[in-house]
Amino acid sequence: MVLGRKWPGFLPTLFILFFAVNILFVMHVKHEMQSLRREPGGHREQQALDSAKENDFVGHLEKIEALFLNLSNYIKLSEGKKKAANELNLPEKPHQEIQEDQQGKENRKEPEAPPRMRFPDSPLFQRWGKDLMEDQQIVAQKLFDKYGYNVYLSDRLPLERPLKDTRPPRCREKKYSHDLPTISVVLIFFNEATSIILRAITSIINRTPSHLLKEIILIDDFSSNEELKGPLEEHIKKFNDKHPGLLKIVRHEERKGLTEARISGWRASLADVVAILDAHIEVNTNWAEPILSRIKEDHTVIISPVFDNIRFDDFQLTQYAEAADGFDWALWCLYETIPEDWYALKDQTAPIRSPSIMGILAANREFLGKIGVLDGGMHIYGGENVELGLRAWLCGGSVEVLPCARIAHLERAHKPYLPDLSLAVRRNALRVAEVWMDEYKHMVYYAWNVPLENSGIDYGDVSSRKELRKRLNCKSFDWYIKNVYPNLVPQVNIVGYGTMKNTLSKENCIDQGPVPGNTPILYVCHGYSPQHMFYHSTGEFFVGGLRSRRNTVDRCLTDSGEGKLPVIEQCDEAQRKGLNMHWDFMQGLSVINRKTKRCLEIAKDHGSPYYILVMQNCTGQKWFIQNTVKQWGKQP
């Protein structure tokens, strides 16, 4: 019954039409028989004929009944096959017919349009996710907003995935003793995605010799995500079923911040060496052996591994070059060039002397405790690594970066738990300055545009940290600048700093303007670093953030002597070219270029209601800078 296979829905209709036609036929025959029976004087021959017709009629009805039964059974059989096919997920049609139908559909099918991008401006979808359907994009973006990285992808990646070996070639040839110190690995997390934590644990177990890995300690800094409670405990139990006693978890009963979480990890550790890491990492091949070997040689060294980057969107590994870890005067972390004496060794495996620590670290557990672990007075995030680096150098230890110890770090596109990190970093930076930086502490205040006196910022009680410094007989910050970090350049001539306003337009401040670019502008005051000005007693005006390191250059305000606009040039270039970069200024008075005698003023731009910065003959306009050093600029 090819018809039944091709049009299964047509059979009931065909049956009904067939049955109706036969009913009409029966009625017609019955009518004829009744007519014959009504004729008078009917003969025996006619009766015989009527009987024959009657028998034909009955036979015809029997055939109709049989046909009806066959059709009914076939329909039931077809429906049964369809139901069974649905239940078993089998095709109703023979394979050949399916292929023919599919071929026909392929020939008729129009090319599909790519899915519409719901979030074209989101950082998540610039390199990844072009093939996701719209509902999948919505889920992925929601997770990205919550975590700052691509949890949608992370949840679909294997926990055990290969990583490119990013070590220098000679590291791969280096052999290490079997007899090394044991290591406790601490993973800090707050509302981290579960798959991220599990992948970190998996990489540590797979890439650390089992006889050296004493424990993995998870520190939960009061996460609120439910999946990090019971479900995470179940995952830990499964790991411990395979590796008895390896994993333990410590949970804070209130949010204490990154520094206190790291201290909790140190307290819980039992091995010779403690490595304090973020939970959003994957360790690379033979990461632990160079750390343990170096600390066995010198128990006073604090080790920073080399970071590689796991991209937040597609989780691809980006290899970073080896570098020392440093900071600027605001105590933001940054990479420094490797010292020349390291290159002179001609040994890719040699430790790199480093002024500071980027974040994650490894140290001898007892020595770290002796020098005060970390400063528990730090809040939330930032500055604690710089503080430890300073303390290590000043109090009997040192800091090194090991090229052979590689850890891949997942860098968030944003930190959901603290949108404005600057508030915590500023507060922590002032705390570091007050304890460790002696007469150089004013540089941190300058960099953050904070008054030297009565700052209004509570950096907490530092008495115990000052007592620790005294007890350990630590060196001075001047020694550190001269012997460890000469690239950090103090500014000794700054007398005024912060935003600058003209009395004709007090809601606007001098701003460095678009970068790249060298034209300062007048812009609505916001107080961030593009509007920071630094006036020196020697006459220079630095514009923008305070760099003040030997391998970076601050930017100076200049007057070319021609045209109406001021110009910003790199200070060293301005000095080399003999540009007009020195100004006379006192608080509340004019800003006059010493060479051109023109004034920095503001004027309406071609009938516009808005002011612009101009260089012109002085009209007596008055300027005020936000903060002054001691009594400079104060009118008698």
Side-chain angles (χ1 to χ4, degrees):
M1 291 287 291
V2 175
L3 180 64
R5 289 199 300 269
K6 290 202 177 286
W7 306 304
F10 182 66
L11 285 173
T13 304
L14 180 65
F15 168 71
I16 291 168
L17 290 173
F18 181 82
F19 187 71
V21 169
N22 280 276
I23 291 294
L24 292 172
F25 171 75
V26 169
M27 291 175 66
H28 173 69
V29 172
K30 183 177 180 182
H31 176 72
E32 286 187 350
M33 291 176 66
Q34 288 175 345
S35 298
L36 288 171
R37 286 173 179 167
R38 284 195 299 267
E39 290 181 8
H43 298 287
R44 184 178 299 274
E45 290 84 2
Q46 185 65 43
Q47 290 177 351
L49 180 62
D50 292 342
S51 178
K53 287 184 178 181
E54 209 168 354
N55 290 335
D56 287 343
F57 173 68
V58 171
H60 191 68
L61 285 178
E62 289 175 349
K63 290 179 181 179
I64 291 172
E65 184 180 11
L67 181 59
F68 173 80
L69 184 61
N70 287 337
L71 285 171
S72 177
N73 288 336
Y74 179 77
I75 291 171
K76 290 179 180 178
L77 181 62
S78 297
E79 292 299 322
K81 287 182 177 179
K82 183 177 181 180
K83 182 178 179 182
N86 287 338
E87 291 176 350
L88 297 174
N89 198 26
L90 296 174
E92 296 177 62
K93 303 179 182 183
H95 180 67
Q96 182 177 356
E97 290 186 33
I98 291 173
Q99 286 185 319
E100 292 172 357
D101 286 355
Q102 287 177 342
Q103 186 64 45
K105 288 178 182 178
E106 289 294 327
N107 293 336
R108 293 191 302 272
K109 186 168 67 173
E110 296 180 2
E112 294 183 3
R116 183 170 71 94
M117 296 304 295
R118 288 292 301 270
F119 309 97
D121 298 326
S122 170
L124 180 62
F125 294 104
Q126 301 309 302
R127 284 184 298 221
W128 173 87
K130 306 298 183 188
D131 57 342
L132 291 186
M133 302 305 293
E134 288 189 45
D135 58 338
Q136 295 172 316
Q137 294 176 43
I138 292 171
V139 173
Q141 181 65 35
K142 191 173 295 185
L143 289 168
F144 176 64
D145 291 339
K146 181 178 179 180
Y147 290 98
Y149 48 68
N150 192 349
V151 177
Y152 184 90
L153 174 61
S154 176
D155 290 347
R156 287 157 178 78
L157 290 175
L159 298 181
E160 186 174 346
R161 68 169 187 154
L163 283 183
K164 175 187 175 184
D165 188 345
T166 56
R167 295 174 298 165
R170 286 193 60 184
C171 291
R172 303 171 198 179
E173 303 168 1
K174 196 172 178 68
K175 304 298 181 183
Y176 298 95
S177 168
H178 184 79
D179 183 22
L180 293 173
T182 57
I183 188 169
S184 297
V185 181
V186 177
L187 299 178
I188 310 296
F189 68 90
F190 169 72
N191 283 347
E192 203 83 62
T194 305
S195 59
I196 295 294
I197 298 173
L198 298 182
R199 191 171 295 110
I201 293 170
T202 302
S203 73
I204 293 165
I205 292 174
N206 290 349
R207 299 185 178 122
T208 312
S210 58
H211 72 285
L212 301 177
L213 181 59
K214 187 174 185 64
E215 59 196 352
I216 300 174
I217 304 168
L218 304 179
I219 306 296
D220 175 14
D221 191 24
F222 199 55
S223 296
S224 58
N225 291 355
E226 287 299 320
E227 66 183 48
L228 296 177
K229 298 176 183 177
L232 180 59
E233 299 279 356
E234 286 299 315
H235 286 296
I236 293 173
K237 183 178 181 300
K238 290 178 182 177
F239 277 114
N240 283 334
D241 287 342
K242 294 182 180 179
H243 311 279
L246 183 62
L247 267 68
K248 62 176 76 168
I249 186 165
V250 176
R251 296 189 186 273
H252 287 173
E253 296 182 357
E254 62 180 358
R255 183 82 190 279
K256 294 185 177 181
L258 182 62
T259 304
E260 282 286 357
R262 288 175 171 172
I263 294 172
S264 294
W266 172 81
R267 286 197 186 110
S269 64
L270 299 173
D272 305 312
V273 171
V274 58
I276 302 176
L277 315 178
D278 296 331
H280 41 273
I281 56 92
E282 295 173 60
V283 299
N284 213 319
T285 305
N286 296 123
W287 74 283
E289 292 92 320
I291 292 174
L292 300 176
S293 179
R294 180 67 183 118
I295 292 176
K296 183 179 180 180
E297 292 173 352
D298 181 358
H299 77 282
T300 69
V301 66
I302 309 292
I303 298 295
S304 178
V306 176
F307 284 107
D308 291 314
N309 182 45
I310 301 172
R311 298 199 307 215
F312 69 87
D313 51 356
D314 59 10
F315 277 62
Q316 293 298 307
L317 182 67
T318 301
Q319 181 174 345
Y320 281 177
E322 295 79 14
D325 300 329
F327 54 89
D328 60 15
W329 284 112
L331 306 197
W332 288 109
C333 299
L334 48 82
Y335 289 115
E336 286 283 359
T337 54
I338 299 175
E340 289 297 326
D341 55 3
W342 183 84
Y343 288 104
L345 297 174
K346 300 185 184 304
D347 182 2
Q348 294 176 319
T349 72
I352 300 168
R353 194 169 183 260
S354 182
S356 188
I357 299 166
M358 189 57 69
I360 59 180
L361 62 107
N364 176 279
R365 183 173 57 84
E366 290 187 2
F367 176 73
L368 187 59
K370 176 185 174 183
I371 65 170
V373 195
L374 290 164
D375 181 358
M378 297 287 189
H379 281 183
I380 306 297
Y381 178 91
E384 78 290 336
N385 51 327
V386 174
E387 192 272 345
L388 176 59
L390 287 177
R391 184 158 33 90
W393 279 109
L394 296 178
C395 305
S398 61
V399 179
E400 293 176 351
V401 173
L402 291 186
C404 296
R406 312 286 298 209
I407 293 182
H409 179 262
L410 175 58
E411 187 68 32
R412 297 179 196 264
H414 59 272
K415 289 183 168 60
Y417 52 84
L418 191 62
D420 188 358
L421 286 175
S422 64
L423 298 178
V425 176
R426 180 183 65 181
R427 184 254 180 210
N428 292 343
L430 297 185
R431 185 177 175 90
V432 174
E434 290 294 333
V435 176
W436 299 102
M437 299 181 116
D438 306 326
E439 70 272 22
Y440 295 90
K441 70 178 182 181
H442 62 273
M443 289 300 301
V444 178
Y445 283 77
Y446 295 164
W448 281 105
N449 188 27
V450 174
L452 293 176
E453 297 178 2
N454 302 318
S455 68
I457 298 172
D458 180 10
Y459 49 74
D461 183 5
V462 297
S463 58
S464 64
R465 302 307 287 182
K466 287 184 175 181
E467 182 59 34
L468 172 70
R469 178 178 181 179
K470 183 177 180 181
R471 185 173 72 251
L472 295 175
N473 195 28
C474 302
K475 298 182 179 69
S476 69
F477 191 77
D478 183 69
W479 174 89
Y480 175 82
I481 285 281
K482 293 174 179 175
N483 294 276
V484 179
Y485 204 3
N487 197 38
L488 198 61
V489 180
Q491 299 292 337
V492 298
N493 296 318
I494 291 176
V495 291
Y497 60 100
T499 57
M500 280 194 71
K501 299 179 182 180
N502 189 296
T503 53
L504 295 181
S505 182
K506 295 181 180 180
E507 72 277 8
N508 293 313
C509 293
I510 296 177
D511 190 293
Q512 69 179 3
V515 176
N518 62 351
T519 304
I521 62 174
L522 201 67
Y523 194 77
V524 176
C525 295
H526 52 65
Y528 292 107
S529 62
Q531 294 184 348
H532 290 179
M533 304 283 290
F534 303 91
Y535 183 61
H536 296 245
S537 59
T538 48
E540 300 93 340
F541 262 116
F542 288 0
V543 185
L546 189 62
R547 293 161 178 82
S548 297
R549 291 164 49 247
R550 294 189 194 281
N551 59 352
T552 62
V553 182
D554 290 280
R555 305 174 77 208
C556 283
L557 184 70
T558 69
D559 175 18
S560 66
E562 300 177 354
K564 62 182 292 187
L565 298 178
V567 177
I568 300 174
E569 292 282 359
Q570 289 192 342
C571 297
D572 60 344
E573 189 69 9
Q575 187 173 16
R576 187 181 68 81
K577 291 181 178 179
L579 300 180
N580 307 316
M581 57 183 289
H582 294 96
W583 307 79
D584 286 325
F585 169 60
M586 292 292 287
Q587 186 78 302
L589 298 178
S590 300
V591 176
I592 308 171
N593 188 274
R594 291 180 183 176
K595 184 74 176 290
T596 67
K597 303 302 180 183
R598 298 200 302 177
C599 279
L600 177 71
E601 296 191 341
I602 64 175
K604 296 287 182 66
D605 186 20
H606 301 297
S608 165
Y610 302 105
Y611 285 102
I612 62 170
L613 284 173
V614 296
M615 296 303 308
Q616 61 185 19
N617 292 331
C618 301
T619 65
Q621 291 183 14
K622 298 178 180 180
W623 291 92
F624 285 86
I625 196 163
Q626 187 175 2
N627 297 301
T628 61
V629 177
K630 297 181 180 179
Q631 296 300 313
W632 174 86
K634 299 291 178 66
Q635 300 299 317

